[in-house]
């Protein structure tokens, strides 16, 4: 069917396309089958997975005919698949969603972007693993003990926000939250790639069809879209809305990471590894994405109508980055925050000098405090460069203030 669409789609009328996609979307009706059906998992990993890649391929090829006609329905089907509590299907679906937007986003109308951001907000909200903060095992006679004496962020131990972490507890509600952690991490990466063009490394992309992207999508178009991102094609208000979703994800992850007793409880309940489970990847990646988006908005003339919201967001995220690095209770957690601090310093160096005060009156003092604890040559080098820029800027301002105006050719 998909081959017929690709080969003869130019001859189709709108009503034909509508009828065809109504048939295609019936493939996903299987998602509504009972969770305990033995063939459901096989369906999700085969038929459903391949159909999603084919839909993206056809949609991209015939974008002018299909964009208004079927995009809302495609988004709805993707949302269903992402929320099926199947880790591999969720990864593949988020990747398909990301690819569809990267390949076609430059041609999106304002309404399409509005739908896209609404979808991401909906997915972020629906998959927040809130129950991890309150989960408790079934009570036994001996009761459960919480060990809150050691933070134990082991960088070598995989976290639960996107990477396997040993055995999974058989309890259905518990397992669902683990899948939600994976989805949150994948959504953060997708937003980063779509908006900022930050291409994920190959070891961070796990697909059910490893060669699907290279075989089904135009490689040069995809590489171009990934390299530059779609920041400039999105309205500042929509970018702020995405930052709100990233912020909710980051705050929940930080709350979980700071709750050592709950992490210990989950570790003893079944999340085995060399350290306690954590969401440090979700916390730092979401924070880094917010930071980059907000600092770019700060220097974007289009942001004038929402400048107050941007300024507040910048102050909050800069404070969160510096506080997260400074208050890190372990070397592993500080190491995880180091790239975020580097991102902050790099973005600050790109800002015009007149915008640096928007980072807060205390920002230069925080940089001085950072001198005492900064680890690693890249971080120290960026910090030194930024401090020099502050000193040069201050010197120029001081010298300009000393120049007295002349009146009738005579210095005052």
């Amino acid at each position: 069917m998909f081959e017929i669409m690709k080969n003869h789609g130019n001859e189709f009328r709108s009503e034909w396309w509508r009828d065809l996609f109504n048939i295609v979307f019936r493939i996903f009706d299987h998602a509504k089958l009972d969770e305990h059906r033995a063939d459901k998992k096989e369906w999700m990993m085969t038929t459903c997975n391949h159909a999603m890649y084919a839909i993206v391929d056809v949609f991209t090829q015939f974008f002018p005919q299909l964009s208004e006609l079927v995009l809302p329905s495609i988004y709805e089907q993707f949302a269903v698949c992402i929320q099926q509590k199947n880790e591999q299907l969720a990864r593949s679906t988020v990747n398909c969603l990301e690819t569809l937007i990267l390949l076609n986003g430059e041609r999106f109308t304002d309404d399409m972007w509005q739908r896209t951001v609404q979808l991401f907000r909906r997915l972020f909200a629906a998959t927040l693993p809130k129950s991890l903060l309150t989960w408790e095992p079934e009570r036994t006679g001996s009761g459960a003990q919480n060990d809150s004496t050691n933070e134990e962020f082991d960088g070598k131990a995989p976290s639960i926000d996107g990477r396997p972490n040993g055995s999974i507890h058989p309890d259905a509600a518990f397992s669902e939250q683990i899948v939600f952690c994976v989805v949150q991490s994948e959504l953060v990466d997708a937003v980063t790639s779509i908006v900022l063009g930050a291409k994920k490394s190959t070891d961070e992309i796990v697909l059910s069809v490893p060669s699907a992207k290279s075989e089904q999508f135009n490689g040069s178009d995809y590489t171009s879209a990934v390299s530059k991102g779609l920041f400039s094609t999105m309205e500042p208000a929509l970018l702020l809305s995405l930052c709100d979703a990233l912020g909710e994800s980051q705050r929940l992850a930080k709350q979980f990471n700071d709750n050592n007793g709950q992490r210990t409880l989950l570790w003893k309940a079944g999340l085995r590894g060399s350290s306690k489970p954590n969401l440090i990847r979700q916390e730092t990646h979401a924070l880094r994405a917010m930071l980059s988006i907000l600092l770019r908005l700060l220097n974007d003339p289009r942001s004038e109508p929402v400048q107050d919201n941007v300024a507040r967001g910048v102050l909050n995220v800069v404070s969160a980055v510096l506080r997260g690095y400074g208050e890190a209770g372990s070397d592993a957690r500080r190491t995880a925050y180091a790239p975020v601090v580097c991102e902050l310093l790099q973005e600050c160096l790109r800002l015009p000098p007149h915008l640096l005060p928007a980072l807060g009156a205390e920002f230069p003092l925080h940089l001085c405090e950072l001198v005492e604890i900064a680890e690693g040559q890249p971080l120290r080098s960026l910090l030194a460069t930024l401090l020099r820029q502050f000193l040069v800027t201050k010197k120029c301002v001081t010298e300009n203030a000393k120049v007295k105006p002349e009146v009738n050719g005579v210095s005052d």
Side-chain angles (χ1 to χ4, degrees), residues 331-347:
D331 291 340
R333 193 168 189 180
R334 179 162 292 177
T335 298
Y337 259 90
V340 190
V341 179
C342 286
E343 184 79 18
L344 168 62
L345 301 180
Q346 288 172 335
E347 292 291 344

Side-chain angles (χ1 to χ4, degrees), residues 28-84:
F28 300 94
D29 287 345
H30 199 95
K32 301 176 180 63
L33 290 179
D34 183 77
E35 186 67 30
H36 302 291
R37 282 280 297 268
D39 58 343
K40 182 170 184 177
K41 184 175 181 180
E42 181 181 355
W43 166 84
M44 288 192 292
M45 301 303 297
T46 55
T47 305
C48 179
N49 202 24
H50 290 291
M52 286 189 298
Y53 283 103
I55 286 172
V56 173
D57 198 17
V58 170
F59 180 85
T60 301
Q61 184 176 346
F62 300 104
F63 179 86
Q65 299 98 309
L66 299 178
S67 56
E68 297 287 351
L69 193 64
V70 299
L71 184 62
S73 298
I74 290 175
Y75 279 176
E76 185 60 34
Q77 299 301 332
F78 281 5
V80 170
C81 291
I82 288 171
Q83 297 178 73
Q84 282 301 299

Side-chain angles (χ1 to χ4, degrees), residues 273-330:
S274 60
S275 72
K276 300 169 190 175
N278 66 78
L279 296 175
I280 191 63
R281 185 177 184 276
Q282 178 181 327
E283 177 185 348
T284 55
H285 282 217
L287 192 58
R288 187 174 181 178
M290 279 193 296
L291 176 70
S292 296
I293 293 172
L294 287 167
L295 288 179
R296 293 187 191 188
L297 283 173
L298 186 65
N299 194 29
D300 189 337
R302 301 177 304 150
S303 300
E304 186 174 352
V306 292
Q307 195 61 43
D308 290 343
N309 292 334
V310 172
R312 282 194 296 270
V314 167
L315 289 175
N316 290 335
V317 76
V318 168
S319 175
V321 170
L322 295 176
R323 187 171 61 250
Y325 186 81
E327 297 177 357
S330 68

Side-chain angles (χ1 to χ4, degrees), residues 42 44 47 95 107 112 120 125 127 138 140-141 164 166 175 188 193 232 242 251 290 297 316 378 386 392 396 407 411:
E42 181 181 355
M44 288 192 292
T47 305
N95 183 261
R107 299 181 284 180
M112 291 177 194
F120 273 104
T127 60
E138 293 184 3
T140 61
S175 299
V188 169
S193 179
S232 61
L242 283 178
R251 286 189 292 273
M290 279 193 296
L297 283 173
N316 290 335
L386 184 58
V392 170
C396 292
V407 179
S411 297

Side-chain angles (χ1 to χ4, degrees), residues 174-237:
F174 187 88
S175 299
E176 175 187 86
Q177 296 301 301
I178 302 304
V179 175
F180 282 175
C181 292
V182 173
V183 173
Q184 288 285 309
S185 186
E186 292 295 313
L187 289 172
V188 169
D189 283 346
V191 169
T192 303
S193 179
I194 291 166
V195 177
L196 304 171
K199 184 172 175 59
K200 294 179 287 186
S201 60
T202 54
D203 63 331
E204 289 183 329
I205 300 176
V206 182
L207 302 175
S208 295
V209 186
S211 61
K213 186 176 292 184
S214 60
E215 291 178 357
Q216 296 182 16
F217 307 124
N218 185 301
S220 60
D221 290 345
Y222 184 83
T223 302
S224 175
V226 167
S227 63
K228 61 183 180 180
L230 297 170
F231 177 92
S232 61
T233 67
M234 300 179 67
E235 289 295 323

